[in-house]
């Protein structure tokens, strides 16, 4: 049985390591495809700039500054976006 996937414009995607490399590329491509992206990284300045760029291109982006602890990182994300709270099955962590 093939799962029914939501279209990207109907999804919020959490991307860790989003200030550079594969995480950054993934964030930009997902935003261009219509997804709401939440960027997670330790570099606040880079995250702010990337979010500004995504928004200027018409995308929907927000960010969370977080360190290496994955449990704390996801807790910060859930607290930032109430739509995600209690629903980790509806998010994708990449990076």
């Amino acid at each position: 049985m093939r799962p029914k996937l939501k279209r990207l414009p109907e999804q919020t995607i959490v991307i860790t390591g989003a200030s550079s490399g594969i995480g950054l590329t993934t964030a930009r491509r997902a935003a261009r495809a219509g997804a709401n992206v939440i960027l997670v990284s330790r570099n606040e300045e880079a995250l702010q700039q990337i979010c500004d760029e995504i928004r200027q291109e018409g995308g929907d982006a927000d960010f969370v500054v977080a360190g290496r602890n994955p449990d704390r990182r996801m807790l910060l994300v859930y607290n930032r976006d109430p739509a995600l709270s209690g629903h980790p099955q509806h998010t994708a962590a990449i990076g």
Side-chain angles (χ1 to χ4, degrees):
M1 176 183 231
R2 201 171 167 165
K4 184 176 180 191
L5 303 176
K6 291 182 182 180
R7 298 179 54 220
L8 279 176
E10 299 169 8
Q11 295 190 44
T12 296
I13 302 175
V14 177
I15 303 169
T16 61
S19 62
S20 65
I22 294 171
L24 174 57
T25 299
T26 302
R28 287 187 170 146
R29 291 185 72 177
R32 283 188 197 116
N36 172 39
V37 294
I38 299 178
L39 312 179
V40 182
S41 174
R42 293 176 288 179
N43 188 334
E44 184 172 6
E45 288 181 37
L47 290 172
Q48 182 64 61
Q49 181 178 352
I50 296 161
C51 281
D52 290 346
E53 291 170 3
I54 289 172
R55 291 179 193 129
Q56 287 173 356
E57 294 177 6
D60 189 2
D62 202 353
F63 69 90
V64 174
V65 178
R68 293 181 179 267
N69 183 326
D71 294 333
R72 172 117 173 97
R73 200 168 36 222
M74 294 314 294
L75 179 62
L76 288 168
V77 170
Y78 295 145
N79 288 337
R80 180 68 175 253
D81 189 340
L84 298 176
S85 284
H87 300 288
Q89 68 274 17
H90 297 301
T91 66
I94 301 170

